[in-house]
Amino acid sequence: MSTDSYINRPNRPLQVYALIFLIVLYLPILFLPLFSFNDSIYVRFPMQGFTVQWYYDLMARSAVWAALMNSVKVGVAVSIVSTVLGIFAAKAITRYRFFGKEPIVIFIMLPLVVPLIIFGVALLVLFAQLLGVPLSLYTVAFGHLILCIPFSTAVLMPRFEGFDPAIEEASADLGENAWWTFWRVTFPMILPGVVASLLLCFTVSFDEFIMAFFLTGTDATLPMYIWGQLRFPQQFPSVLALSSLVIIGSFIIVLLGLWINRDADMTKTKAGTDA
Amino acid sequence: MTDQSALARPAAQTPPQVNWFSRKIHKSETFRAYAVLSPALLFLGFAILIPFAILVVLSFWTPVGFDFNREFTLKNYRDIMERPIYGTLLWRSLWISTMATVFTVLLCYPMAYYVAFHVHRNKMVWIVLMTLPFWTSYLLRVFAWKVVLGYEGVINSGLIWVGWIEEPLKFLLYSPSAVIITLAHAWAAFAILPLYVSLEKIDKSLLEAATDLGDGPMRRFFRITLPLSLPGVISASILIFIPTTGDYITPALLGGPNGMMIGNLIQMQFGPTNNWPMGAALAIVLMLTIAAICAAFILITFFVRKRIT
């Protein structure tokens, strides 16, 4: 009777749990857009009626636009550079067997785990003490690169694993050099991963706060601007409006990236275990 | 390792000519691998190792006005040992992040289990749904909790509105529990993925075998599923414990004076207090503590696994 796999038997309590889990995961974030339309400077129930004035208020501020442009500039630059470096790293890790692979992979993935405050202060000391470089958007981008290279590498690794190296070898056998083999064979195969890496790294950099907190000069990025506004209770509604826009924008970009890259199962690649 | 990457460095820039070097490189896979790896590796090496080295040097100095006294001294480390504020904050950080780690892993395990064993179609949709918030702004997710837990926030004003409480609950915001709740929520994706991967890998026929041999669901879970998913539990715990111990945003926004953590103290040394060497020493102590705890944790679980399998 119970020879029919119990695994396929639906588990009601677990289903309910999963549903509650997802609701709890998203509910706090959804309060931001909800209250951004609330016609009151206080974030509390009962809500006072619908308004879009906080959004209008936001559009009129030049500081918001300046911060947005700064974040976009840093995000675009960081996503491009980290994706290029990530392509090299992912290719080396997935295509070659080499001495010291596992420690190297761990080293590359380290920034995903080490508290970012440590990178923030370490880079601050590097720029301010050793190099004497004034803090600017460049220093912020430098910090974000540390964080984004592991992301790019992790996103691109399954793409390299997903196609047969024999295709590249065939191209080489047919007389293409390494440069053209890359552009005509490898690149089209990993293109979804490249686009996903660009989009995801852009979001990570766009939303990153801690590194920017230590490495920003006079030009604030958008998270820095939001942080500055959090001190003023009367700014709460406009911060809610701005936060809602940022979160919705991030969700769309990330979903797009994951959808484009949907046939690469990132959970199947575990950094370092294939060595 | 380092000498190989150093050798591979000039090779990456030399055009492929028939010389000793390029022949060597075409022959050895390790050389080629390091040549391809070199851009990312050189950048990360420069951007991670050098700043850390400077941090270590700085931690042995002392501040003099806006400059440093560059004489080697252990004063900062002695202060950390002797003055109770540092120890207290370090202990509190470790305690808070341990609690957050335990809660996150306990709460995420059933979820990962559900997706691994009970979702048969569109698994990817579930994984994307569970990890999507993690890609978006950490600052804003923490800010959202401030909106929820605040003195006049969603919970308090909602409960007053429906008449369940008269006064706002004060313990919600600005407390270690607020920090723990927020950390557990914010880092859930870091627990779900390794847990899911380890559960997904379990050979279902082992579970069938246990059932056939008479194990009930509980025994089957504790004798097969749990031990086999332990690697996922271990990596999930480490992946959450390390970053949360040094977290800055959550305690800064939600911790209040009683929820302040070591990250806030480090920031203060580089900001208002302007004692960079002390901040550097605190960052080093934090890293060493985390490393020691993780090493101990891995060793203990290693022996435990040896005993139960």
Side-chain angles (χ1 to χ4, degrees):
Chain A
M1 195 177 88
S2 64
T3 47
D4 176 36
S5 176
Y6 69 93
I7 293 167
N8 292 326
R9 203 189 304 154
N11 185 331
R12 276 289 159 217
L14 213 51
Q15 268 176 351
V16 173
Y17 182 84
L19 202 67
I20 294 172
F21 188 98
L22 281 185
I23 292 171
V24 172
L25 196 62
Y26 282 89
L27 200 61
I29 311 167
L30 293 180
F31 281 118
L32 299 180
L34 180 69
F35 278 101
S36 72
F37 295 112
N38 187 23
D39 195 7
S40 159
I41 70 160
Y42 300 108
V43 181
R44 66 180 175 206
F45 286 115
M47 294 175 72
Q48 298 298 318
F50 182 86
T51 179
V52 288
Q53 74 169 99
W54 310 120
Y55 287 89
Y56 274 115
D57 187 29
L58 212 58
M59 301 298 159
R61 290 191 203 175
S62 60
V64 173
W65 291 102
L68 176 70
M69 284 320 291
N70 289 339
S71 277
V72 169
K73 274 187 234 166
V74 171
V76 168
V78 166
S79 62
I80 292 173
V81 175
S82 71
T83 301
V84 170
L85 295 180
I87 291 174
F88 283 107
K91 182 180 160 78
I93 292 165
T94 51
R95 280 283 183 270
Y96 302 112
R97 302 165 60 84
F98 58 92
F99 176 76
K101 184 193 259 192
E102 217 164 320
I104 291 280
V105 173
I106 290 173
F107 177 69
I108 290 179
M109 297 298 164
L110 214 52
L112 295 183
V113 180
V114 174
L116 287 182
I117 191 169
I118 291 184
F119 287 116
V121 298
L123 285 177
L124 175 65
V125 173
L126 171 79
F127 289 128
Q129 278 305 306
L130 194 75
L131 303 177
V133 178
L135 297 178
S136 65
L137 291 178
Y138 290 102
T139 51
V140 176
F142 190 94
H144 286 181
L145 264 184
I146 297 179
L147 183 60
C148 286
I149 289 173
F151 275 118
S152 294
T153 311
V155 168
L156 284 158
M157 270 164 49
R159 299 255 40 132
F160 277 100
E161 278 169 358
F163 84 95
D164 193 345
I167 306 173
E168 281 172 330
E169 283 156 25
S171 159
D173 289 345
L174 293 168
E176 288 283 34
N177 60 26
W179 172 255
W180 283 111
T181 297
F182 176 80
W183 283 113
R184 294 180 52 177
V185 179
T186 315
F187 189 72
M189 296 290 278
I190 62 167
L191 188 59
V194 172
V195 177
S197 162
L198 288 172
L199 293 171
L200 294 175
C201 288
F202 176 82
T203 318
V204 168
S205 162
F206 190 84
D207 286 337
E208 203 285 331
F209 170 71
I210 276 291
M211 297 259 215
F213 186 50
F214 286 99
L215 302 174
T216 302
T218 46
D219 295 323
T221 60
L222 206 53
M224 284 297 290
Y225 176 81
I226 293 174
W227 177 260
Q229 298 296 305
L230 286 179
R231 270 177 299 163
F232 311 111
Q234 71 274 21
Q235 299 294 344
F236 239 60
S238 53
V239 171
L240 287 171
L242 185 55
S243 307
S244 312
L245 293 175
V246 169
I247 283 190
I248 289 165
S250 305
F251 270 31
I252 292 172
I253 298 176
V254 170
L255 274 178
L256 198 65
L258 294 176
W259 183 76
I260 288 170
N261 202 25
R262 63 193 176 283
D263 51 328
D265 188 347
M266 270 186 266
T267 59
K268 288 284 177 330
T269 317
K270 194 114 187 308
T273 48
D274 55 345
Chain B
M1 236 185 309
T2 38
D3 56 323
Q4 274 158 350
S5 60
L7 275 174
R9 199 178 314 158
Q13 290 143 7
T14 356
Q17 289 159 358
V18 189
N19 55 28
W20 176 86
F21 218 89
S22 88
R23 244 180 297 142
K24 185 89 192 149
I25 276 166
H26 283 287
K27 235 184 275 171
S28 157
E29 212 175 338
T30 296
F31 274 130
R32 287 176 65 176
Y34 278 100
V36 177
L37 260 178
S38 58
L41 216 50
L42 285 177
F43 175 81
L44 287 178
F46 175 77
I48 294 175
L49 298 181
I50 293 178
F52 277 136
I54 302 169
L55 214 53
V56 172
V57 173
L58 188 65
S59 73
F60 294 115
W61 292 353
T62 43
V64 181
F66 281 98
D67 205 356
F68 305 114
N69 176 5
R70 292 167 192 233
E71 222 168 296
F72 177 91
T73 167
L74 287 170
K75 181 181 174 300
N76 294 321
Y77 292 97
R78 222 173 19 241
D79 281 355
I80 293 175
M81 303 278 268
E82 283 168 3
R83 288 211 216 137
I85 172 80
Y86 301 112
T88 309
L89 281 185
L90 193 59
W91 269 116
R92 187 191 291 155
S93 304
L94 295 174
W95 178 73
I96 286 180
S97 88
T98 306
M99 295 302 281
T101 307
V102 170
F103 278 127
T104 317
V105 172
L106 282 181
L107 292 172
C108 289
Y109 194 96
M111 189 68 202
Y113 182 91
Y114 175 74
V115 179
F117 287 97
H118 291 284
V119 175
H120 304 289
R121 281 174 302 156
N122 300 327
K123 270 187 198 234
M124 256 349 248
V125 173
W126 277 87
I127 291 168
V128 167
L129 269 179
M130 291 184 303
T131 50
L132 181 62
F134 158 76
W135 288 99
T136 62
S137 174
Y138 183 62
L139 174 66
L140 296 183
R141 279 179 285 146
V142 175
F143 172 55
W145 274 105
K146 197 182 165 103
V147 169
V148 172
L149 299 174
Y151 188 72
E152 291 201 308
V154 170
I155 293 182
N156 274 331
S157 64
L159 289 178
I160 290 173
W161 191 28
V162 297
W164 287 7
I165 54 171
E166 306 271 304
E167 288 279 298
L169 305 167
K170 288 202 182 78
F171 63 87
L172 287 178
L173 193 64
Y174 302 133
S175 64
S177 38
V179 177
I180 293 171
I181 293 173
T182 308
L183 288 176
H185 180 262
W187 293 91
F190 260 47
I192 293 245
L193 280 181
L195 288 173
Y196 168 78
V197 169
S198 69
L199 284 163
E200 175 75 10
K201 265 198 273 190
I202 294 175
D203 188 349
K204 306 289 185 290
S205 56
L206 290 174
L207 301 173
E208 307 275 359
T211 317
D212 290 348
L213 294 170
D215 265 2
M218 288 299 274
R219 274 174 76 87
R220 188 176 58 217
F221 174 77
F222 283 107
R223 294 193 354 170
I224 314 280
T225 317
L226 187 60
L228 285 175
S229 65
L230 267 188
V233 174
I234 294 165
S235 36
S237 308
I238 289 174
L239 285 179
I240 298 168
F241 180 76
I242 298 177
T244 50
T245 310
D247 195 42
Y248 170 77
I249 302 177
T250 308
L253 281 181
L254 299 164
N258 291 326
M260 201 171 132
M261 285 165 70
I262 195 82
N264 308 78
L265 196 60
I266 294 176
Q267 189 275 331
M268 270 166 70
Q269 307 300 319
F270 284 91
T273 315
N274 199 23
N275 186 347
W276 286 26
M278 190 47 150
L282 283 170
I284 306 277
V285 168
L286 171 63
M287 275 190 294
L288 292 178
T289 314
I290 293 174
I293 290 174
C294 287
F297 181 66
I298 291 171
L299 272 179
I300 290 168
T301 47
F302 177 76
F303 286 119
V304 169
R305 272 176 76 197
K306 260 195 153 172
R307 281 195 60 185
I308 61 174
T309 49

